[in-house]
Amino acid sequence: MILILDFGSQYTQLIARRVREANVYCEIAPCTVDLSTYKDKNVRGYILSGGPSSLSDPDAPRLPKSFFDTDKPVLGICYGMQLLADIFSGKLVKSEHREYGRAHFDVINGSPLLSGVPSKSQVWMSHGDSIVKLPEGFEVIGSTDSLKVAAIANDARRFYGLQFHPEVHHTTEGRNIINNFLFEICQLKGDWTTESFIESSIETIRQKVGASKVVLGISGGVDSTVTALLLSRAIGDNLHAVFVNNGLLRKNEFASVVEMLSKLNLNLHPVDASDLFMDRLAGTSDPEKKRKIIGGTFIDVFESEADKIGDIEFLAQGTLYPDVIESVSFKGPSVTIKSHHNVGGLKDRMKFKLVEPLRELFKDEVRELGRKLGLPKEFIGRHPFPGPGLAVRILGEVTRERCDLLREVDHVFIEELHASGIYDDIWQAFVVLLPVSAVGVMGDERTYENVVALRAVTSVDGMTADWARIDNDILARVSNRIIRNVKGVNRVTYDISSKPPATIEWE
């Protein structure tokens, strides 16, 4: 395996994803981990992630110099490279301006790390410090127009550093560089597969849960449904899948999801708690408070159902890594962006133990799991839908009336995407109800009604996303249908923001 030490980069899990794509098993651990816990595992190399800190900061995360008394290869990325330089007596300076974005990379000296990489290629930079004096035993193996030391190597000790992110899509040779580290330098085989993940997950669930009962919050989306299938294979009827109508679902979704899930022969418990959720959300506009209320209410409903079932010890969730990395400082000193209802929204003193078998995975990996588990296309191809539902797509206070309005508008948008044959080309599409009204005219009368924003993005893993270039004729049809058929809306806009700097959801 490869052990990735996390120094807080928002891209750390992308490193793991690239490693797994090469069929190599890896784990992420915080940079503060006690490495003795890995002494019985077959660690064949280390990757040090990037991070938001500067080594000039007194509280910057570090590794003891004894860590580098190893015969195993080390690859430092961005902050990880700077750490290598600092440990081995190099010199760093803090740049006046952080370099962020595309750069042209030139290979200078041959190194196994850059085997097969063209002499010139594009890389993605993100750093504030630069190396001005090489660490002892290292040589420069690559540079950019603005940075003389963009890649370093100590081939004798198999220590390497990159001042750019090889894990992101914008580094065109990133996959080759990572594969060189895995196969040329660490001499790994690449025999870890989706099937082996399924086997290990089922075994892990059995070891953790034993003969206990598990309650799972299921939504009909791919994440919770794949979680349900894994649990069902592991513990059979000891899984109790609870599908909650929180009053924040899309049009006709409660009935249609119950029908779909019943075909999977799951131990399903449908619960209509819409009044409870809506009452608790009354008067709340702050997005973080809405998420916390919804997360806490979900747990209350699950606990109530668990009391009815009896002897429930575990709560299972379809939590994915993007949820975690945006919610909390998970494995390293990363920055919280927003809470997710099934991460930051959980009550501090919840009486269940958590089971989250997908917690380390990205959406595309989960979809692949679903295919391997035999999940029908109608589940795998569904666009992501947030746990807090329409509450985070209604900016401002959530009311029954505003939910009903948004349900109708969203239904029109999604129906038109299906009719146009482009639904499957889009990662996620939805409508946001804005907290403003606008003047309009219908017939000879003045109107003063709601404004909505259409949102559609393309993505691979949800960590980055670009706004979808939907044909203008399709957008025109959507707008006309909404304004003509949904009473209370007289203006439709289209969101052309990418992630970053925006997030996919508005709240």
Side-chain angles (χ1 to χ4, degrees):
M1 62 170 286
I2 290 290
L3 181 60
I4 302 168
L5 297 182
D6 180 23
F7 289 87
S9 172
Q10 297 293 337
Y11 296 135
T12 298
Q13 186 65 4
L14 287 180
I15 303 172
R17 185 164 169 269
R18 296 293 179 241
V19 173
R20 291 180 193 156
E21 284 173 351
N23 295 331
V24 171
Y25 180 68
C26 65
E27 292 183 13
I28 301 173
C31 57
T32 54
V33 70
D34 179 0
L35 290 171
S36 65
T37 60
Y38 286 86
K39 65 181 180 181
D40 295 328
K41 297 188 177 184
N42 189 17
V43 178
R44 297 290 295 272
Y46 299 95
I47 298 178
L48 314 181
S49 83
S53 301
S54 168
L55 279 162
S56 61
D57 298 335
D59 58 348
R62 297 174 183 272
L63 290 173
K65 191 167 185 178
S66 59
F67 167 80
F68 297 95
D69 295 334
T70 176
D71 59 354
K72 296 170 184 175
V74 176
L75 173 62
I77 297 174
C78 292
Y79 184 86
M81 168 176 167
Q82 294 160 15
L83 189 63
L84 278 169
D86 184 68
I87 287 288
F88 291 100
S89 303
K91 184 178 179 181
L92 297 162
V93 295
K94 195 173 184 67
S95 306
E96 291 186 12
H97 302 287
R98 185 176 183 87
E99 185 178 14
Y100 183 82
R102 293 176 177 85
H104 296 290
F105 179 71
D106 295 316
V107 175
I108 294 177
N109 294 316
S111 169
L113 186 68
L114 302 180
S115 177
V117 174
S119 59
K120 295 182 180 295
S121 63
Q122 177 184 281
V123 296
W124 186 262
M125 288 286 192
S126 179
H127 68 100
D129 292 350
S130 301
I131 297 174
V132 293
K133 177 191 171 187
L134 280 176
E136 294 177 1
F138 286 79
E139 65 173 343
V140 179
I141 59 173
S143 64
T144 68
D145 293 340
S146 60
L147 197 65
K148 291 183 178 179
V149 184
I152 58 175
N154 182 331
D155 287 322
R157 298 197 62 182
R158 298 185 295 172
F159 289 173
Y160 302 90
L162 302 172
Q163 194 55 80
F164 55 87
H165 287 278
E167 69 273 24
V168 304
H169 174 73
H170 302 296
T171 297
T172 55
E173 294 296 321
R175 192 185 304 269
N176 290 341
I177 294 171
I178 290 174
N179 286 353
N180 283 339
F181 181 72
L182 299 176
F183 302 120
E184 298 294 328
I185 296 168
C186 296
Q187 296 291 302
L188 291 161
K189 294 181 179 179
D191 53 4
W192 185 75
T193 63
T194 303
E195 288 83 358
S196 66
F197 177 84
I198 292 172
E199 293 171 6
S200 64
S201 295
I202 290 173
E203 182 60 30
T204 298
I205 292 168
R206 285 173 178 163
Q207 290 178 1
K208 182 172 185 176
V209 172
S212 300
K213 296 178 182 177
V214 179
V215 62
L216 163 69
I218 193 167
S219 67
V222 64
D223 306 337
S224 61
T225 306
V226 168
T227 302
L229 290 177
L230 282 174
L231 284 160
S232 183
R233 288 195 179 188
I235 61 174
D237 287 340
N238 277 344
L239 168 66
H240 296 265
V242 178
F243 177 41
V244 178
N245 181 4
N246 58 4
L248 303 165
L249 301 175
R250 290 167 288 198
K251 186 176 180 179
N252 301 326
E253 186 160 23
F254 187 62
S256 63
V257 169
V258 168
E259 182 181 356
M260 284 197 300
L261 291 175
S262 64
K263 298 176 182 177
L264 299 179
N265 297 317
L266 297 174
N267 192 2
L268 187 65
H269 301 255
V271 179
D272 187 352
S274 53
D275 288 341
L276 177 63
F277 279 86
M278 298 307 295
D279 289 344
R280 290 188 178 182
L281 284 168
T284 302
S285 297
D286 179 80
E288 281 294 287
K289 288 181 180 178
K290 286 193 283 189
R291 287 177 177 272
K292 300 285 186 181
I293 289 170
I294 292 166
T297 305
F298 267 120
I299 298 303
D300 288 342
V301 173
F302 294 147
E303 287 179 344
S304 175
E305 284 301 303
D307 289 340
K308 296 176 186 176
I309 297 165
D311 301 322
I312 296 289
E313 186 175 351
F314 291 89
L315 168 68
Q317 296 189 132
T319 306
L320 305 192
Y321 192 79
D323 299 336
V324 176
I325 201 172
E326 289 186 345
S327 296
V328 292
S329 299
F330 174 46
K331 295 182 184 293
S334 57
V335 177
T336 298
I337 296 172
K338 61 184 177 182
S339 296
H340 286 255
H341 84 286
N342 54 347
V343 184
L346 295 180
K347 296 191 298 185
D348 292 336
R349 299 184 64 83
M350 189 182 66
K351 72 178 185 180
F352 298 124
K353 300 173 186 176
L354 278 179
V355 180
E356 297 175 311
L358 309 182
R359 188 179 175 92
E360 299 287 323
L361 301 184
F362 281 86
K363 178 73 74 173
D364 59 320
E365 293 175 313
V366 176
R367 284 178 171 147
E368 179 60 25
L369 275 182
R371 281 187 280 270
K372 296 293 185 182
L373 290 167
L375 198 62
K377 183 181 178 181
E378 63 197 64
F379 285 97
I380 295 172
R382 294 186 83 203
H383 287 184
F385 187 66
L390 300 183
V392 292
R393 295 175 180 177
I394 295 175
L395 306 194
E397 184 181 1
V398 178
T399 66
R400 289 170 176 81
E401 294 73 23
R402 300 188 83 200
C403 286
D404 289 340
L405 178 69
L406 183 55
R407 262 188 278 271
E408 293 299 325
V409 176
D410 188 78
H411 179 72
V412 171
F413 188 29
I414 299 303
E415 195 171 66
E416 285 294 334
L417 294 180
H418 279 294
S420 302
I422 63 172
Y423 179 87
D424 292 336
D425 298 329
I426 294 171
W427 166 269
Q428 190 171 1
F430 55 92
V431 182
V432 180
L433 180 58
L434 305 184
V436 296
S437 298
V439 173
V441 58
M442 292 187 182
D444 295 324
E445 295 184 5
R446 175 187 184 274
T447 62
Y448 190 61
E449 295 179 330
N450 291 285
V451 181
V452 298
L454 309 180
R455 177 72 157 148
V457 298
T458 58
S459 181
V460 174
D461 48 44
M463 290 298 294
T464 60
D466 196 11
W467 60 278
R469 272 63 170 178
I470 296 177
D471 185 87
N472 287 344
D473 289 340
I474 298 174
L475 292 175
R477 273 200 309 275
V478 173
S479 177
N480 288 337
R481 273 195 63 187
I482 289 171
I483 293 173
R484 289 176 181 175
N485 299 327
V486 182
K487 184 175 176 57
V489 177
N490 69 358
R491 194 174 297 265
V492 177
T493 65
Y494 187 54
D495 181 353
I496 58 170
S497 308
S498 296
K499 176 186 180 180
T503 53
I504 296 177
E505 297 285 349
W506 279 42
E507 288 190 344

